[in-house]
Amino acid sequence: MKQKLKLITSLSTLALTGALAVTACSGEGEGEGHGGEGEGAATSISGEGESEGEGLGGESEGEGAASSGDPATDDIEYLYRLALVRGHLIAFRELYDSGEQEMALGHSKHPQSELYAGLAPAFEARSKPGFADQLSALASAAEAGGDIDDAYNAVADAIAAHFPEMTVKTRLLAVSKIVSTAADEFDIGVEDDGAISNAHEYQDAYGFLNAARMVLASGETSDMAESEAVAMAQEQLDIALSEFNGLAAATTEGAASVLYGAAARIEIVALGL
């Protein structure tokens, strides 16, 4: 049932995107492709991979399958991967603060983690220092069970400092990709009857959506069309987040289809800019 839902969502998005592309081609020069503005190819709304879970320091297969492009040169991919790191830490912080320390540690990231290691070449190519030391300090503080405020804020600030200069279109396409991955994670974590069978993936989805909010708010708009697009994306993120029932819940009435729909709508409005 879930695979059918994802296929229908993907096919619907392709149809809408194709119609939009035909319209856009009539008013744009031949030198501008699907992604435009040197942003790389547009991303697929539905990720192909799924995972049975994610251990400490590892990454789910759903996240890896959704990745495409080289983060060293592709701003959308680079921003997307930064947001995944940030999203894991958002889930970590909320669980840690609520007393769910064991659950929280599953979302803490070490510099040796696959997700961070995949960004290391991009940091070098972009002349960025990375934030390995900050991640290590946070992981150590969390494992010790003490106060994590300073360590957490240091990582959050470091990640924000690594965000690239980007157009609104780039931001929105990255946000769409983040939301699509969140939908994949939610789909893995929640059964058709609403039972949360994989809490880690469900929590990832929540963290990724909140990271998408941060990406959306990380730049300025230059005209009415961009402002309206950002406002619509924010509305879609709010709708997607309303599908959650607390990070430690056993059930939810939310549906992955709502998250897939949000990702599709954000991508479509981005491609219209």
Side-chain angles (χ1 to χ4, degrees), residues 70-82:
D70 183 355
T73 56
D74 183 340
D75 282 350
I76 294 171
E77 182 68 17
Y78 176 64
L79 192 55
Y80 164 76
R81 295 198 195 187
L82 282 174

Side-chain angles (χ1 to χ4, degrees), residues 44-237:
S44 167
I45 285 297
S46 178
E48 297 176 357
E50 291 192 355
S51 169
E52 296 180 357
E54 178 180 329
L56 180 63
E59 310 310 324
S60 75
E61 293 177 14
E63 292 169 36
S67 295
S68 61
D70 183 355
T73 56
D74 183 340
D75 282 350
I76 294 171
E77 182 68 17
Y78 176 64
L79 192 55
Y80 164 76
R81 295 198 195 187
L82 282 174
L84 294 191
V85 177
R86 189 71 179 89
H88 279 292
L89 297 179
I90 290 169
F92 155 77
R93 182 63 193 261
E94 292 208 18
L95 287 164
Y96 193 91
D97 287 349
S98 66
E100 301 285 352
Q101 186 174 356
E102 185 174 348
M103 278 189 183
L105 288 174
H107 296 277
S108 66
K109 291 296 158 193
H110 292 269
Q112 295 81 17
S113 73
E114 182 181 346
L115 191 55
Y116 183 87
L119 275 166
F123 294 150
E124 183 176 357
R126 293 170 179 267
S127 300
K128 297 289 187 180
F131 41 90
D133 291 344
Q134 293 92 330
L135 280 176
S136 291
L138 177 60
S140 296
E143 287 162 5
D147 181 78
I148 62 168
D149 284 350
D150 290 344
Y152 182 85
N153 291 335
V155 176
D157 290 345
I159 294 174
H162 282 69
F163 278 15
E165 295 269 339
M166 56 198 149
T167 65
V168 172
K169 184 174 181 178
T170 296
R171 266 193 289 149
L172 287 170
L173 288 173
V175 166
S176 173
K177 187 168 185 175
I178 298 161
V179 177
S180 178
T181 296
D184 288 341
E185 303 295 278
F186 191 100
D187 194 37
I188 294 167
V190 180
E191 300 299 322
D192 291 336
D193 62 0
I196 298 172
S197 59
N198 189 322
H200 189 97
E201 304 294 347
Y202 169 80
Q203 293 155 4
D204 280 349
Y206 175 85
F208 296 163
L209 289 174
N210 278 282
R213 271 181 163 174
M214 295 178 178
V215 170
L216 194 61
S218 64
E220 302 294 330
T221 58
S222 61
D223 59 35
M224 183 64 71
E226 289 183 349
S227 297
E228 289 176 352
V230 169
M232 189 283 291
Q234 182 61 67
E235 180 182 1
Q236 290 301 312
L237 289 174

